Amino acid sequence: NVYADPNAFLAQADPAHLAPPAPQFVIATPDQQPSAVTAGAPTAVVTLKLSGLSRPSWTWNAPGGSWLRAEGARPATEPDGTPLRATNVVVLRVEVVNTPFTDPAGNPVPETQMVGSGEALVASGGATLPATWSKAAPDAPVVLTDASGQPVLLAPGTTWVELVPTRTGAVTVG
């Protein structure tokens, strides 16, 4: 997990990198509902297996209107101690391959393959929707589509993206 001050990064940017990036996902307008809310299944918790040691979960908090993250049984928190929350949780099933490099302990350094497509799960408003993700090039946005090929609309607010390895990871909803 990385926490950073965006203003500090922006102050270091050259003129070519001062413009904001293109939107990554399609956000529902005020007259629309998020796709998971209109076409998804009610869901109380999304549990992930990212590795042998990392098993986060997201629990729907209806009074707060957000998903709360936990690492195993321990609630995840912001640096100030407030619960880590997200309006949307986007889970992408991705290929992870070993590079020819090794870390100081001699373990292979993995690389996540983000160009291509795969299964996705979108959680918004206490519901989840199976989807497909695709990304045409390294600098292209991730495109989320539903079973009929239509764009998936996310709720306005914070979006957390979880990358779950296709071979060794798992996603469970309940």
Side-chain angles (χ1 to χ4, degrees), residues 2 7 56 145 170:
V2 177
N7 292 321
T145 54

Side-chain angles (χ1 to χ4, degrees), residues 3 11-12 21 41 50 52 62 78 82 85 93 95 101 121 127 142 144 149 153 157-158 161-162 164:
Y3 291 93
Q12 300 172 41
L50 304 180
E78 298 281 357
T82 60
R85 64 186 72 239
R93 299 301 306 264
E95 287 295 322
F101 307 104
L121 182 75
V142 173
L144 297 170
L153 303 177
T158 305
V161 179
E162 297 276 10
V164 178

Side-chain angles (χ1 to χ4, degrees), residues 1 5 21 26 35 52 55 67 78 88 97 116 120 124 133 147 155-156 164 169:
N1 296 331
D5 179 359
V26 181
S35 299
R55 296 176 187 262
W67 295 91
E78 298 281 357
N88 306 289
V97 298
S124 294
W133 71 269
V164 178

